Each structure stands twice: as C-alpha cells, then as structure tokens.
Amino acid sequence: MTVDAACRKAAGTLLMYELCKDAMRDVSYPSNGIDLYALVAAKRALASYDGTARAVGALLGGGGSLNGADRDAYALCRESYAQATGTMDGVVAALVGCRFADGDLGQVYRDGVAQVERCRDRVRSLPASPLYARNLVDRNMAVLAYFVGRLLVGV
C-alpha cells in the first residue's frame, strides 16, 4: 500500500490527509504492511510531544513570571505529557513487537489522545497561552496515529 493510499484510507478529512502525508514524508517506498505507517505516525506524535514538553519545562522554569493559574495549568500539562509519552511509547513497543492484534491497542491510542486533551482543556481557558497551538498539533498527531493504527486490524 502506498503512503497516499494509506493516508486516504486513514484520514476522514483533508486536514488529516495532509497531516498524514506530511508525517509520512520520509517513507520513500510503499510498505507491504500498514505497520510501518502506524509506527511512523506514532513516532511523529512522540517527536511532537517532546517539543511541547520542552516548551512546558521552559515555561515552568522561567522563574516567577507565571501567575498561579498559568503555573497550575502548565504543571498539569507536564504531567499529561509525561503520561501521553509513556502511552505512545507503549504503542510503539506494541507495533515493533507485532502485538497490534491485541484488542487493547485501540484503547491505548484513545487513552493517549485523552491525555493530550487533558492539557488542552486547561490551557484553552488561559489568555493567549503559548501552548495552545502546540497542543492542538499534538492532539492532531495523536489522532492521526490512532487513525493509521486502526488500519492494522481495526484497533
């Protein structure tokens, strides 16, 4: 299956299709199995999470410039991103170990999306949070990983 075919099958919207094509930009040959695409999507999500987690750390480490609501929201985001990273690491391990036929992998993906959304729910109430846009990208990457992963066996 080509990248284009996998992205068309996984994505329900033009945004997700374009995000999928961008995420798969380094895959230079058609895969015999969708597992490669699922692995690439999960690793792209992890890379995106890492950048946001670093930004959260920088915001929290910036001294006393944050008010209490911002500090609390960003502390929750640090926790949410640690959980989401662990969850997506579990997805990667399952894909590498060919354990995607387990009935639980779909729930693991959904848990990861929820963990990223937990941060979003806190930062969207802050005025002009620098994390909101990053978190939205991360959520889309998590959802994309889930959509591509569903192609494996309907996880």
Side-chain angles (χ1 to χ4, degrees), residues 67-143:
N67 66 37
D70 289 352
R71 191 172 24 264
D72 291 347
Y74 298 153
L76 180 131
C77 286
R78 179 174 46 202
E79 179 184 313
S80 294
Y81 272 88
Q83 292 170 344
T85 297
T87 298
M88 195 59 75
D89 280 339
V91 166
V92 168
L95 294 170
V96 168
C98 297
R99 295 187 314 270
F100 42 82
D102 303 355
D104 296 338
L105 188 56
Q107 186 60 51
V108 174
Y109 275 113
R110 289 186 295 276
D111 289 347
V113 171
Q115 290 155 349
V116 172
E117 287 177 340
R118 186 171 166 233
C119 174
R120 179 209 56 201
D121 292 346
R122 284 299 294 270
V123 299
R124 74 176 167 193
S125 66
L126 300 175
S129 171
L131 286 185
Y132 183 75
R134 293 184 77 118
N135 178 262
L136 183 59
V137 169
D138 295 340
R139 185 214 177 261
N140 287 343
M141 294 303 291
V143 169

Side-chain angles (χ1 to χ4, degrees), residues 6-121:
C7 289
R8 286 191 189 285
K9 194 168 182 179
T13 66
L14 181 59
L15 172 70
M16 277 293 152
Y17 169 76
E18 290 174 353
L19 186 64
C20 182
K21 291 281 290 189
D22 183 60
M24 303 297 162
R25 67 188 173 273
D26 295 331
V27 178
S28 58
Y29 57 90
S31 174
N32 289 335
I34 199 69
D35 54 327
L36 171 66
Y37 302 141
L39 182 61
V40 169
K43 288 190 173 231
R44 293 280 189 208
L46 279 169
S48 187
Y49 294 178
D50 183 58
T52 303
R54 288 175 193 262
V56 169
L59 287 166
L60 287 170
S65 62
L66 295 177
N67 66 37
D70 289 352
R71 191 172 24 264
D72 291 347
Y74 298 153
L76 180 131
C77 286
R78 179 174 46 202
E79 179 184 313
S80 294
Y81 272 88
Q83 292 170 344
T85 297
T87 298
M88 195 59 75
D89 280 339
V91 166
V92 168
L95 294 170
V96 168
C98 297
R99 295 187 314 270
F100 42 82
D102 303 355
D104 296 338
L105 188 56
Q107 186 60 51
V108 174
Y109 275 113
R110 289 186 295 276
D111 289 347
V113 171
Q115 290 155 349
V116 172
E117 287 177 340
R118 186 171 166 233
C119 174
R120 179 209 56 201
D121 292 346

